[in-house]
Amino acid sequence: DFVMTQTPLSLPVIVGQPASISCTSSQSLVHSDGVTYLSWLHQRPGQPPRLLIYKVSNRLPGVPDRFSGSGAGADFTLKISRVEAEDVGVYYCMQATQTPLTFGGGTKVEIK
Amino acid sequence: QVQLVQSGGGEVQPGGSLRLSCAASGFTLINSNIHWVRQAPGRGLEWMAIIISGGGEMRYAESVKGRFTMSRDNFKNTLYLQMNSLRSEDTAVYYCAKPGRDRDGTSMGSFDVWGQGTMVTVS
């Protein structure tokens, strides 16, 4: 199975400041079709996760452009250019290159 | 509006059974892969199973293989997850989720539609 490791575990941020979350896979996430199936999801307490970024860097329509994804191979990053109060919650990376799909352990973003 | 509405769940003793439902609206279930993902209290997300569009091939995580079974009612446009031989470690919120389609029709490789989740407690 692909093991997904996220850092940091917890991320206190100041509103208006940038934030960055890393995700590393135990193996390259490049699929045999040439696509890298790495996505980022955001979850608030009591709610299902919400997709933000798919295929490394594609924002889902409606997701604010302060969210961006980058990376290649086995190393990926989610960046929030200017954190807003509504961005609190837990962020997960997920790989869908191979079954079983696997998730990172999550990064809890909170406002300082 | 594309939606997944879940029902079922509840509390059951170890060794017992439960059936979860995931009703689709706004799209036809048989034309889409659907996944099940669960989340134990205070923990992260765990992928459990997929039923593939069309023929309905199914794959399961090792942790539930042989105990959980999916089925699909095409007339009701509803997916079911039959959970048998439940263990305390199966206690979690269970989500069904639908992979999204990119602008070019290819898979997003992630879930743009989630059910609201349903709690299963084994104790």
Side-chain angles (χ1 to χ4, degrees), chain A residues 39 43 48-49 51 54-55 92 94 96 99 101 103, chain B residues 39 45 47 59 95 102 106-111 114:
Chain A
S39 58
Q43 187 178 34
L51 179 62
Y54 63 96
K55 293 180 187 176
Y92 295 95
M94 184 194 94
T99 310
L101 280 61
F103 297 85
Chain B
Q39 186 170 35
L45 300 165
W47 177 85
R59 299 177 200 161
Y95 297 102
D102 210 341
T106 59
S107 175
M108 286 181 177
S110 194
F111 310 123
W114 292 73

mmCIF file with all atom_site columns, all heavy atoms in Angstrom, chain A residues 39 43 48-49 51 54-55 92 94 96 99 101 103, chain B residues 39 45 47 59 95 102 106-111 114:
data_model
loop_
_atom_site.group_PDB
_atom_site.id
_atom_site.type_symbol
_atom_site.label_atom_id
_atom_site.label_alt_id
_atom_site.label_comp_id
_atom_site.label_asym_id
_atom_site.label_entity_id
_atom_site.label_seq_id
_atom_site.pdbx_PDB_ins_code
_atom_site.Cartn_x
_atom_site.Cartn_y
_atom_site.Cartn_z
_atom_site.occupancy
_atom_site.B_iso_or_equiv
_atom_site.pdbx_formal_charge
_atom_site.auth_seq_id
_atom_site.auth_comp_id
_atom_site.auth_asym_id
_atom_site.auth_atom_id
_atom_site.pdbx_PDB_model_num
ATOM 1   N N   . SER A 1 39  ? -4.707  14.340 -4.481  1.00 0.00 ? 39  SER A N   1
ATOM 2   C CA  . SER A 1 39  ? -5.696  15.380 -4.227  1.00 0.00 ? 39  SER A CA  1
ATOM 3   C C   . SER A 1 39  ? -5.599  15.860 -2.783  1.00 0.00 ? 39  SER A C   1
ATOM 4   O O   . SER A 1 39  ? -4.974  15.217 -1.931  1.00 0.00 ? 39  SER A O   1
ATOM 5   C CB  . SER A 1 39  ? -7.108  14.888 -4.532  1.00 0.00 ? 39  SER A CB  1
ATOM 6   O OG  . SER A 1 39  ? -7.430  13.746 -3.753  1.00 0.00 ? 39  SER A OG  1
ATOM 7   N N   . GLN A 1 43  ? -11.707 19.228 5.766   1.00 0.00 ? 43  GLN A N   1
ATOM 8   C CA  . GLN A 1 43  ? -12.828 18.752 6.564   1.00 0.00 ? 43  GLN A CA  1
ATOM 9   C C   . GLN A 1 43  ? -13.029 19.617 7.795   1.00 0.00 ? 43  GLN A C   1
ATOM 10  O O   . GLN A 1 43  ? -12.081 19.842 8.568   1.00 0.00 ? 43  GLN A O   1
ATOM 11  C CB  . GLN A 1 43  ? -12.622 17.302 6.994   1.00 0.00 ? 43  GLN A CB  1
ATOM 12  C CG  . GLN A 1 43  ? -13.842 16.691 7.682   1.00 0.00 ? 43  GLN A CG  1
ATOM 13  C CD  . GLN A 1 43  ? -13.629 15.243 8.065   1.00 0.00 ? 43  GLN A CD  1
ATOM 14  O OE1 . GLN A 1 43  ? -12.530 14.829 8.422   1.00 0.00 ? 43  GLN A OE1 1
ATOM 15  N NE2 . GLN A 1 43  ? -14.705 14.459 8.018   1.00 0.00 ? 43  GLN A NE2 1
ATOM 16  N N   . PRO A 1 48  ? -18.645 16.086 6.130   1.00 0.00 ? 48  PRO A N   1
ATOM 17  C CA  . PRO A 1 48  ? -17.814 15.251 5.257   1.00 0.00 ? 48  PRO A CA  1
ATOM 18  C C   . PRO A 1 48  ? -16.675 16.078 4.682   1.00 0.00 ? 48  PRO A C   1
ATOM 19  O O   . PRO A 1 48  ? -16.745 17.321 4.664   1.00 0.00 ? 48  PRO A O   1
ATOM 20  C CB  . PRO A 1 48  ? -18.791 14.818 4.158   1.00 0.00 ? 48  PRO A CB  1
ATOM 21  C CG  . PRO A 1 48  ? -19.885 15.811 4.174   1.00 0.00 ? 48  PRO A CG  1
ATOM 22  C CD  . PRO A 1 48  ? -19.975 16.320 5.571   1.00 0.00 ? 48  PRO A CD  1
ATOM 23  N N   . PRO A 1 49  ? -15.626 15.414 4.227   1.00 0.00 ? 49  PRO A N   1
ATOM 24  C CA  . PRO A 1 49  ? -14.546 16.146 3.562   1.00 0.00 ? 49  PRO A CA  1
ATOM 25  C C   . PRO A 1 49  ? -15.063 16.847 2.306   1.00 0.00 ? 49  PRO A C   1
ATOM 26  O O   . PRO A 1 49  ? -16.073 16.448 1.709   1.00 0.00 ? 49  PRO A O   1
ATOM 27  C CB  . PRO A 1 49  ? -13.546 15.047 3.204   1.00 0.00 ? 49  PRO A CB  1
ATOM 28  C CG  . PRO A 1 49  ? -13.860 13.929 4.129   1.00 0.00 ? 49  PRO A CG  1
ATOM 29  C CD  . PRO A 1 49  ? -15.340 13.988 4.337   1.00 0.00 ? 49  PRO A CD  1
ATOM 30  N N   . LEU A 1 51  ? -13.564 18.356 -1.424  1.00 0.00 ? 51  LEU A N   1
ATOM 31  C CA  . LEU A 1 51  ? -12.432 18.357 -2.343  1.00 0.00 ? 51  LEU A CA  1
ATOM 32  C C   . LEU A 1 51  ? -12.003 19.787 -2.680  1.00 0.00 ? 51  LEU A C   1
ATOM 33  O O   . LEU A 1 51  ? -12.833 20.643 -3.008  1.00 0.00 ? 51  LEU A O   1
ATOM 34  C CB  . LEU A 1 51  ? -12.816 17.610 -3.622  1.00 0.00 ? 51  LEU A CB  1
ATOM 35  C CG  . LEU A 1 51  ? -11.765 17.532 -4.725  1.00 0.00 ? 51  LEU A CG  1
ATOM 36  C CD1 . LEU A 1 51  ? -10.509 16.784 -4.244  1.00 0.00 ? 51  LEU A CD1 1
ATOM 37  C CD2 . LEU A 1 51  ? -12.345 16.840 -5.960  1.00 0.00 ? 51  LEU A CD2 1
ATOM 38  N N   . TYR A 1 54  ? -7.341  18.556 -7.143  1.00 0.00 ? 54  TYR A N   1
ATOM 39  C CA  . TYR A 1 54  ? -7.203  17.204 -7.683  1.00 0.00 ? 54  TYR A CA  1
ATOM 40  C C   . TYR A 1 54  ? -6.088  17.186 -8.735  1.00 0.00 ? 54  TYR A C   1
ATOM 41  O O   . TYR A 1 54  ? -5.725  18.227 -9.276  1.00 0.00 ? 54  TYR A O   1
ATOM 42  C CB  . TYR A 1 54  ? -8.533  16.697 -8.262  1.00 0.00 ? 54  TYR A CB  1
ATOM 43  C CG  . TYR A 1 54  ? -9.039  17.496 -9.440  1.00 0.00 ? 54  TYR A CG  1
ATOM 44  C CD1 . TYR A 1 54  ? -8.778  17.087 -10.754 1.00 0.00 ? 54  TYR A CD1 1
ATOM 45  C CD2 . TYR A 1 54  ? -9.776  18.667 -9.250  1.00 0.00 ? 54  TYR A CD2 1
ATOM 46  C CE1 . TYR A 1 54  ? -9.234  17.813 -11.832 1.00 0.00 ? 54  TYR A CE1 1
ATOM 47  C CE2 . TYR A 1 54  ? -10.237 19.406 -10.329 1.00 0.00 ? 54  TYR A CE2 1
ATOM 48  C CZ  . TYR A 1 54  ? -9.966  18.974 -11.611 1.00 0.00 ? 54  TYR A CZ  1
ATOM 49  O OH  . TYR A 1 54  ? -10.408 19.708 -12.689 1.00 0.00 ? 54  TYR A OH  1
ATOM 50  N N   . LYS A 1 55  ? -5.569  15.995 -8.987  1.00 0.00 ? 55  LYS A N   1
ATOM 51  C CA  . LYS A 1 55  ? -4.452  15.823 -9.935  1.00 0.00 ? 55  LYS A CA  1
ATOM 52  C C   . LYS A 1 55  ? -3.357  16.846 -9.656  1.00 0.00 ? 55  LYS A C   1
ATOM 53  O O   . LYS A 1 55  ? -2.932  17.576 -10.558 1.00 0.00 ? 55  LYS A O   1
ATOM 54  C CB  . LYS A 1 55  ? -4.933  15.918 -11.376 1.00 0.00 ? 55  LYS A CB  1
ATOM 55  C CG  . LYS A 1 55  ? -5.848  14.790 -11.816 1.00 0.00 ? 55  LYS A CG  1
ATOM 56  C CD  . LYS A 1 55  ? -6.261  14.989 -13.285 1.00 0.00 ? 55  LYS A CD  1
ATOM 57  C CE  . LYS A 1 55  ? -7.289  14.008 -13.713 1.00 0.00 ? 55  LYS A CE  1
ATOM 58  N NZ  . LYS A 1 55  ? -7.776  14.232 -15.100 1.00 0.00 ? 55  LYS A NZ  1
ATOM 59  N N   . TYR A 1 92  ? -6.422  16.888 4.359   1.00 0.00 ? 92  TYR A N   1
ATOM 60  C CA  . TYR A 1 92  ? -5.906  15.561 4.032   1.00 0.00 ? 92  TYR A CA  1
ATOM 61  C C   . TYR A 1 92  ? -5.412  15.530 2.591   1.00 0.00 ? 92  TYR A C   1
ATOM 62  O O   . TYR A 1 92  ? -6.074  16.058 1.689   1.00 0.00 ? 92  TYR A O   1
ATOM 63  C CB  . TYR A 1 92  ? -6.996  14.499 4.163   1.00 0.00 ? 92  TYR A CB  1
ATOM 64  C CG  . TYR A 1 92  ? -7.534  14.290 5.560   1.00 0.00 ? 92  TYR A CG  1
ATOM 65  C CD1 . TYR A 1 92  ? -8.689  14.951 5.980   1.00 0.00 ? 92  TYR A CD1 1
ATOM 66  C CD2 . TYR A 1 92  ? -6.908  13.423 6.448   1.00 0.00 ? 92  TYR A CD2 1
ATOM 67  C CE1 . TYR A 1 92  ? -9.200  14.749 7.258   1.00 0.00 ? 92  TYR A CE1 1
ATOM 68  C CE2 . TYR A 1 92  ? -7.406  13.225 7.725   1.00 0.00 ? 92  TYR A CE2 1
ATOM 69  C CZ  . TYR A 1 92  ? -8.547  13.885 8.123   1.00 0.00 ? 92  TYR A CZ  1
ATOM 70  O OH  . TYR A 1 92  ? -9.047  13.690 9.385   1.00 0.00 ? 92  TYR A OH  1
ATOM 71  N N   . MET A 1 94  ? -4.641  12.750 -0.457  1.00 0.00 ? 94  MET A N   1
ATOM 72  C CA  . MET A 1 94  ? -5.157  11.422 -0.797  1.00 0.00 ? 94  MET A CA  1
ATOM 73  C C   . MET A 1 94  ? -4.564  10.989 -2.123  1.00 0.00 ? 94  MET A C   1
ATOM 74  O O   . MET A 1 94  ? -4.452  11.796 -3.050  1.00 0.00 ? 94  MET A O   1
ATOM 75  C CB  . MET A 1 94  ? -6.679  11.469 -0.930  1.00 0.00 ? 94  MET A CB  1
ATOM 76  C CG  . MET A 1 94  ? -7.325  10.115 -1.180  1.00 0.00 ? 94  MET A CG  1
ATOM 77  S SD  . MET A 1 94  ? -9.046  10.254 -1.726  1.00 0.00 ? 94  MET A SD  1
ATOM 78  C CE  . MET A 1 94  ? -8.821  10.205 -3.497  1.00 0.00 ? 94  MET A CE  1
ATOM 79  N N   . ALA A 1 96  ? -4.964  8.309  -5.353  1.00 0.00 ? 96  ALA A N   1
ATOM 80  C CA  . ALA A 1 96  ? -5.871  7.386  -6.023  1.00 0.00 ? 96  ALA A CA  1
ATOM 81  C C   . ALA A 1 96  ? -5.163  6.719  -7.202  1.00 0.00 ? 96  ALA A C   1
ATOM 82  O O   . ALA A 1 96  ? -5.801  6.223  -8.126  1.00 0.00 ? 96  ALA A O   1
ATOM 83  C CB  . ALA A 1 96  ? -7.128  8.107  -6.503  1.00 0.00 ? 96  ALA A CB  1
ATOM 84  N N   . THR A 1 99  ? -5.160  1.166  -5.838  1.00 0.00 ? 99  THR A N   1
ATOM 85  C CA  . THR A 1 99  ? -6.030  0.650  -4.787  1.00 0.00 ? 99  THR A CA  1
ATOM 86  C C   . THR A 1 99  ? -5.182  -0.209 -3.842  1.00 0.00 ? 99  THR A C   1
ATOM 87  O O   . THR A 1 99  ? -4.379  -1.005 -4.326  1.00 0.00 ? 99  THR A O   1
ATOM 88  C CB  . THR A 1 99  ? -7.146  -0.219 -5.403  1.00 0.00 ? 99  THR A CB  1
ATOM 89  O OG1 . THR A 1 99  ? -7.763  0.502  -6.454  1.00 0.00 ? 99  THR A OG1 1
ATOM 90  C CG2 . THR A 1 99  ? -8.171  -0.587 -4.370  1.00 0.00 ? 99  THR A CG2 1
ATOM 91  N N   . LEU A 1 101 ? -6.920  3.079  -2.069  1.00 0.00 ? 101 LEU A N   1
ATOM 92  C CA  . LEU A 1 101 ? -6.679  4.500  -1.949  1.00 0.00 ? 101 LEU A CA  1
ATOM 93  C C   . LEU A 1 101 ? -6.223  4.761  -0.514  1.00 0.00 ? 101 LEU A C   1
ATOM 94  O O   . LEU A 1 101 ? -6.691  4.112  0.432   1.00 0.00 ? 101 LEU A O   1
ATOM 95  C CB  . LEU A 1 101 ? -7.959  5.287  -2.228  1.00 0.00 ? 101 LEU A CB  1
ATOM 96  C CG  . LEU A 1 101 ? -8.349  5.510  -3.690  1.00 0.00 ? 101 LEU A CG  1
ATOM 97  C CD1 . LEU A 1 101 ? -8.584  4.201  -4.421  1.00 0.00 ? 101 LEU A CD1 1
ATOM 98  C CD2 . LEU A 1 101 ? -9.596  6.385  -3.769  1.00 0.00 ? 101 LEU A CD2 1
ATOM 99  N N   . PHE A 1 103 ? -4.890  7.851  2.483   1.00 0.00 ? 103 PHE A N   1
ATOM 100 C CA  . PHE A 1 103 ? -4.916  9.246  2.900   1.00 0.00 ? 103 PHE A CA  1
ATOM 101 C C   . PHE A 1 103 ? -3.728  9.549  3.810   1.00 0.00 ? 103 PHE A C   1
ATOM 102 O O   . PHE A 1 103 ? -3.251  8.664  4.537   1.00 0.00 ? 103 PHE A O   1
ATOM 103 C CB  . PHE A 1 103 ? -6.195  9.529  3.697   1.00 0.00 ? 103 PHE A CB  1
ATOM 104 C CG  . PHE A 1 103 ? -7.471  9.361  2.932   1.00 0.00 ? 103 PHE A CG  1
ATOM 105 C CD1 . PHE A 1 103 ? -8.065  8.111  2.819   1.00 0.00 ? 103 PHE A CD1 1
ATOM 106 C CD2 . PHE A 1 103 ? -8.089  10.450 2.331   1.00 0.00 ? 103 PHE A CD2 1
ATOM 107 C CE1 . PHE A 1 103 ? -9.255  7.935  2.128   1.00 0.00 ? 103 PHE A CE1 1
ATOM 108 C CE2 . PHE A 1 103 ? -9.278  10.296 1.634   1.00 0.00 ? 103 PHE A CE2 1
ATOM 109 C CZ  . PHE A 1 103 ? -9.860  9.035  1.525   1.00 0.00 ? 103 PHE A CZ  1
ATOM 110 N N   . GLN B 2 39  ? -14.345 6.891  8.927   1.00 0.00 ? 39  GLN B N   1
ATOM 111 C CA  . GLN B 2 39  ? -13.533 7.727  9.814   1.00 0.00 ? 39  GLN B CA  1
ATOM 112 C C   . GLN B 2 39  ? -13.880 7.393  11.259  1.00 0.00 ? 39  GLN B C   1
ATOM 113 O O   . GLN B 2 39  ? -14.978 7.701  11.726  1.00 0.00 ? 39  GLN B O   1
ATOM 114 C CB  . GLN B 2 39  ? -13.813 9.208  9.518   1.00 0.00 ? 39  GLN B CB  1
ATOM 115 C CG  . GLN B 2 39  ? -12.927 10.169 10.276  1.00 0.00 ? 39  GLN B CG  1
ATOM 116 C CD  . GLN B 2 39  ? -13.087 11.592 9.773   1.00 0.00 ? 39  GLN B CD  1
ATOM 117 O OE1 . GLN B 2 39  ? -14.169 12.022 9.377   1.00 0.00 ? 39  GLN B OE1 1
ATOM 118 N NE2 . GLN B 2 39  ? -11.995 12.339 9.753   1.00 0.00 ? 39  GLN B NE2 1
ATOM 119 N N   . LEU B 2 45  ? -9.074  9.488  7.724   1.00 0.00 ? 45  LEU B N   1
ATOM 120 C CA  . LEU B 2 45  ? -9.929  8.837  6.744   1.00 0.00 ? 45  LEU B CA  1
ATOM 121 C C   . LEU B 2 45  ? -9.324  7.506  6.293   1.00 0.00 ? 45  LEU B C   1
ATOM 122 O O   . LEU B 2 45  ? -8.112  7.400  6.102   1.00 0.00 ? 45  LEU B O   1
ATOM 123 C CB  . LEU B 2 45  ? -10.107 9.765  5.535   1.00 0.00 ? 45  LEU B CB  1
ATOM 124 C CG  . LEU B 2 45  ? -10.742 11.124 5.856   1.00 0.00 ? 45  LEU B CG  1
ATOM 125 C CD1 . LEU B 2 45  ? -10.549 12.092 4.698   1.00 0.00 ? 45  LEU B CD1 1
ATOM 126 C CD2 . LEU B 2 45  ? -12.220 10.961 6.182   1.00 0.00 ? 45  LEU B CD2 1
ATOM 127 N N   . TRP B 2 47  ? -10.001 4.430  3.408   1.00 0.00 ? 47  TRP B N   1
ATOM 128 C CA  . TRP B 2 47  ? -10.740 3.901  2.263   1.00 0.00 ? 47  TRP B CA  1
ATOM 129 C C   . TRP B 2 47  ? -11.131 2.464  2.546   1.00 0.00 ? 47  TRP B C   1
ATOM 130 O O   . TRP B 2 47  ? -10.333 1.679  3.073   1.00 0.00 ? 47  TRP B O   1
ATOM 131 C CB  . TRP B 2 47  ? -9.880  3.959  1.011   1.00 0.00 ? 47  TRP B CB  1
ATOM 132 C CG  . TRP B 2 47  ? -10.544 3.374  -0.200  1.00 0.00 ? 47  TRP B CG  1
ATOM 133 C CD1 . TRP B 2 47  ? -11.407 4.018  -1.045  1.00 0.00 ? 47  TRP B CD1 1
ATOM 134 C CD2 . TRP B 2 47  ? -10.407 2.046  -0.688  1.00 0.00 ? 47  TRP B CD2 1
ATOM 135 N NE1 . TRP B 2 47  ? -11.815 3.151  -2.039  1.00 0.00 ? 47  TRP B NE1 1
ATOM 136 C CE2 . TRP B 2 47  ? -11.225 1.935  -1.842  1.00 0.00 ? 47  TRP B CE2 1
ATOM 137 C CE3 . TRP B 2 47  ? -9.697  0.922  -0.281  1.00 0.00 ? 47  TRP B CE3 1
ATOM 138 C CZ2 . TRP B 2 47  ? -11.327 0.765  -2.581  1.00 0.00 ? 47  TRP B CZ2 1
ATOM 139 C CZ3 . TRP B 2 47  ? -9.800  -0.246 -1.016  1.00 0.00 ? 47  TRP B CZ3 1
ATOM 140 C CH2 . TRP B 2 47  ? -10.607 -0.326 -2.151  1.00 0.00 ? 47  TRP B CH2 1
ATOM 141 N N   . ARG B 2 59  ? -14.111 -4.041 -5.058  1.00 0.00 ? 59  ARG B N   1
ATOM 142 C CA  . ARG B 2 59  ? -12.834 -4.262 -4.366  1.00 0.00 ? 59  ARG B CA  1
ATOM 143 C C   . ARG B 2 59  ? -12.971 -3.741 -2.942  1.00 0.00 ? 59  ARG B C   1
ATOM 144 O O   . ARG B 2 59  ? -13.626 -2.734 -2.699  1.00 0.00 ? 59  ARG B O   1
ATOM 145 C CB  . ARG B 2 59  ? -11.700 -3.524 -5.067  1.00 0.00 ? 59  ARG B CB  1
ATOM 146 C CG  . ARG B 2 59  ? -11.460 -3.962 -6.501  1.00 0.00 ? 59  ARG B CG  1
ATOM 147 C CD  . ARG B 2 59  ? -10.371 -3.137 -7.154  1.00 0.00 ? 59  ARG B CD  1
ATOM 148 N NE  . ARG B 2 59  ? -10.456 -3.227 -8.612  1.00 0.00 ? 59  ARG B NE  1
ATOM 149 C CZ  . ARG B 2 59  ? -9.902  -2.358 -9.451  1.00 0.00 ? 59  ARG B CZ  1
ATOM 150 N NH1 . ARG B 2 59  ? -9.200  -1.331 -8.986  1.00 0.00 ? 59  ARG B NH1 1
ATOM 151 N NH2 . ARG B 2 59  ? -10.031 -2.512 -10.755 1.00 0.00 ? 59  ARG B NH2 1
ATOM 152 N N   . TYR B 2 95  ? -18.888 7.068  5.023   1.00 0.00 ? 95  TYR B N   1
ATOM 153 C CA  . TYR B 2 95  ? -19.267 7.948  3.927   1.00 0.00 ? 95  TYR B CA  1
ATOM 154 C C   . TYR B 2 95  ? -19.274 7.155  2.615   1.00 0.00 ? 95  TYR B C   1
ATOM 155 O O   . TYR B 2 95  ? -18.367 6.360  2.368   1.00 0.00 ? 95  TYR B O   1
ATOM 156 C CB  . TYR B 2 95  ? -18.263 9.081  3.748   1.00 0.00 ? 95  TYR B CB  1
ATOM 157 C CG  . TYR B 2 95  ? -18.126 10.042 4.900   1.00 0.00 ? 95  TYR B CG  1
ATOM 158 C CD1 . TYR B 2 95  ? -17.054 9.950  5.786   1.00 0.00 ? 95  TYR B CD1 1
ATOM 159 C CD2 . TYR B 2 95  ? -19.038 11.074 5.082   1.00 0.00 ? 95  TYR B CD2 1
ATOM 160 C CE1 . TYR B 2 95  ? -16.900 10.845 6.836   1.00 0.00 ? 95  TYR B CE1 1
ATOM 161 C CE2 . TYR B 2 95  ? -18.896 11.977 6.128   1.00 0.00 ? 95  TYR B CE2 1
ATOM 162 C CZ  . TYR B 2 95  ? -17.828 11.844 6.995   1.00 0.00 ? 95  TYR B CZ  1
ATOM 163 O OH  . TYR B 2 95  ? -17.689 12.747 8.029   1.00 0.00 ? 95  TYR B OH  1
ATOM 164 N N   . ASP B 2 102 ? -13.266 15.334 -14.783 1.00 0.00 ? 102 ASP B N   1
ATOM 165 C CA  . ASP B 2 102 ? -12.596 16.552 -15.192 1.00 0.00 ? 102 ASP B CA  1
ATOM 166 C C   . ASP B 2 102 ? -13.287 17.115 -16.436 1.00 0.00 ? 102 ASP B C   1
ATOM 167 O O   . ASP B 2 102 ? -14.164 16.476 -17.023 1.00 0.00 ? 102 ASP B O   1
ATOM 168 C CB  . ASP B 2 102 ? -11.125 16.252 -15.471 1.00 0.00 ? 102 ASP B CB  1
ATOM 169 C CG  . ASP B 2 102 ? -10.223 17.437 -15.191 1.00 0.00 ? 102 ASP B CG  1
ATOM 170 O OD1 . ASP B 2 102 ? -10.737 18.586 -15.135 1.00 0.00 ? 102 ASP B OD1 1
ATOM 171 O OD2 . ASP B 2 102 ? -8.996  17.230 -15.049 1.00 0.00 ? 102 ASP B OD2 1
ATOM 172 N N   . THR B 2 106 ? -12.210 12.854 -18.199 1.00 0.00 ? 106 THR B N   1
ATOM 173 C CA  . THR B 2 106 ? -11.414 11.878 -17.466 1.00 0.00 ? 106 THR B CA  1
ATOM 174 C C   . THR B 2 106 ? -11.690 11.999 -15.970 1.00 0.00 ? 106 THR B C   1
ATOM 175 O O   . THR B 2 106 ? -12.251 12.998 -15.499 1.00 0.00 ? 106 THR B O   1
ATOM 176 C CB  . THR B 2 106 ? -9.911  12.076 -17.721 1.00 0.00 ? 106 THR B CB  1
ATOM 177 O OG1 . THR B 2 106 ? -9.547  13.401 -17.306 1.00 0.00 ? 106 THR B OG1 1
ATOM 178 C CG2 . THR B 2 106 ? -9.573  11.912 -19.197 1.00 0.00 ? 106 THR B CG2 1
ATOM 179 N N   . SER B 2 107 ? -11.289 10.984 -15.222 1.00 0.00 ? 107 SER B N   1
ATOM 180 C CA  . SER B 2 107 ? -11.540 10.994 -13.792 1.00 0.00 ? 107 SER B CA  1
ATOM 181 C C   . SER B 2 107 ? -10.667 12.030 -13.094 1.00 0.00 ? 107 SER B C   1
ATOM 182 O O   . SER B 2 107 ? -9.507  12.218 -13.443 1.00 0.00 ? 107 SER B O   1
ATOM 183 C CB  . SER B 2 107 ? -11.257 9.618  -13.197 1.00 0.00 ? 107 SER B CB  1
ATOM 184 O OG  . SER B 2 107 ? -11.384 9.657  -11.788 1.00 0.00 ? 107 SER B OG  1
ATOM 185 N N   . MET B 2 108 ? -11.243 12.691 -12.088 1.00 0.00 ? 108 MET B N   1
ATOM 186 C CA  . MET B 2 108 ? -10.450 13.610 -11.265 1.00 0.00 ? 108 MET B CA  1
ATOM 187 C C   . MET B 2 108 ? -9.513  12.826 -10.348 1.00 0.00 ? 108 MET B C   1
ATOM 188 O O   . MET B 2 108 ? -8.571  13.354 -9.809  1.00 0.00 ? 108 MET B O   1
ATOM 189 C CB  . MET B 2 108 ? -11.370 14.467 -10.401 1.00 0.00 ? 108 MET B CB  1
ATOM 190 C CG  . MET B 2 108 ? -12.103 15.546 -11.118 1.00 0.00 ? 108 MET B CG  1
ATOM 191 S SD  . MET B 2 108 ? -13.121 16.478 -9.949  1.00 0.00 ? 108 MET B SD  1
ATOM 192 C CE  . MET B 2 108 ? -13.793 17.737 -11.025 1.00 0.00 ? 108 MET B CE  1
ATOM 193 N N   . GLY B 2 109 ? -9.869  11.543 -10.113 1.00 0.00 ? 109 GLY B N   1
ATOM 194 C CA  . GLY B 2 109 ? -9.073  10.771 -9.174  1.00 0.00 ? 109 GLY B CA  1
ATOM 195 C C   . GLY B 2 109 ? -9.342  11.180 -7.737  1.00 0.00 ? 109 GLY B C   1
ATOM 196 O O   . GLY B 2 109 ? -8.517  10.946 -6.854  1.00 0.00 ? 109 GLY B O   1
ATOM 197 N N   . SER B 2 110 ? -10.473 11.812 -7.489  1.00 0.00 ? 110 SER B N   1
ATOM 198 C CA  . SER B 2 110 ? -10.847 12.165 -6.121  1.00 0.00 ? 110 SER B CA  1
ATOM 199 C C   . SER B 2 110 ? -12.351 12.395 -6.083  1.00 0.00 ? 110 SER B C   1
ATOM 200 O O   . SER B 2 110 ? -13.034 12.342 -7.093  1.00 0.00 ? 110 SER B O   1
ATOM 201 C CB  . SER B 2 110 ? -10.095 13.393 -5.648  1.00 0.00 ? 110 SER B CB  1
ATOM 202 O OG  . SER B 2 110 ? -10.212 13.526 -4.238  1.00 0.00 ? 110 SER B OG  1
ATOM 203 N N   . PHE B 2 111 ? -12.847 12.682 -4.890  1.00 0.00 ? 111 PHE B N   1
ATOM 204 C CA  . PHE B 2 111 ? -14.286 12.674 -4.661  1.00 0.00 ? 111 PHE B CA  1
ATOM 205 C C   . PHE B 2 111 ? -14.854 14.077 -4.572  1.00 0.00 ? 111 PHE B C   1
ATOM 206 O O   . PHE B 2 111 ? -14.551 14.819 -3.640  1.00 0.00 ? 111 PHE B O   1
ATOM 207 C CB  . PHE B 2 111 ? -14.595 11.914 -3.363  1.00 0.00 ? 111 PHE B CB  1
ATOM 208 C CG  . PHE B 2 111 ? -13.939 10.571 -3.289  1.00 0.00 ? 111 PHE B CG  1
ATOM 209 C CD1 . PHE B 2 111 ? -13.091 10.242 -2.254  1.00 0.00 ? 111 PHE B CD1 1
ATOM 210 C CD2 . PHE B 2 111 ? -14.168 9.627  -4.272  1.00 0.00 ? 111 PHE B CD2 1
ATOM 211 C CE1 . PHE B 2 111 ? -12.480 8.988  -2.183  1.00 0.00 ? 111 PHE B CE1 1
ATOM 212 C CE2 . PHE B 2 111 ? -13.568 8.375  -4.221  1.00 0.00 ? 111 PHE B CE2 1
ATOM 213 C CZ  . PHE B 2 111 ? -12.713 8.059  -3.173  1.00 0.00 ? 111 PHE B CZ  1
ATOM 214 N N   . TRP B 2 114 ? -19.864 13.812 -1.703  1.00 0.00 ? 114 TRP B N   1
ATOM 215 C CA  . TRP B 2 114 ? -19.846 12.939 -0.537  1.00 0.00 ? 114 TRP B CA  1
ATOM 216 C C   . TRP B 2 114 ? -21.253 12.832 0.042   1.00 0.00 ? 114 TRP B C   1
ATOM 217 O O   . TRP B 2 114 ? -22.009 13.798 0.023   1.00 0.00 ? 114 TRP B O   1
ATOM 218 C CB  . TRP B 2 114 ? -18.925 13.503 0.541   1.00 0.00 ? 114 TRP B CB  1
ATOM 219 C CG  . TRP B 2 114 ? -17.464 13.505 0.210   1.00 0.00 ? 114 TRP B CG  1
ATOM 220 C CD1 . TRP B 2 114 ? -16.833 14.328 -0.677  1.00 0.00 ? 114 TRP B CD1 1
ATOM 221 C CD2 . TRP B 2 114 ? -16.457 12.664 0.774   1.00 0.00 ? 114 TRP B CD2 1
ATOM 222 N NE1 . TRP B 2 114 ? -15.491 14.029 -0.707  1.00 0.00 ? 114 TRP B NE1 1
ATOM 223 C CE2 . TRP B 2 114 ? -15.230 13.020 0.179   1.00 0.00 ? 114 TRP B CE2 1
ATOM 224 C CE3 . TRP B 2 114 ? -16.465 11.638 1.726   1.00 0.00 ? 114 TRP B CE3 1
ATOM 225 C CZ2 . TRP B 2 114 ? -14.016 12.391 0.496   1.00 0.00 ? 114 TRP B CZ2 1
ATOM 226 C CZ3 . TRP B 2 114 ? -15.264 11.013 2.056   1.00 0.00 ? 114 TRP B CZ3 1
ATOM 227 C CH2 . TRP B 2 114 ? -14.061 11.384 1.446   1.00 0.00 ? 114 TRP B CH2 1
#
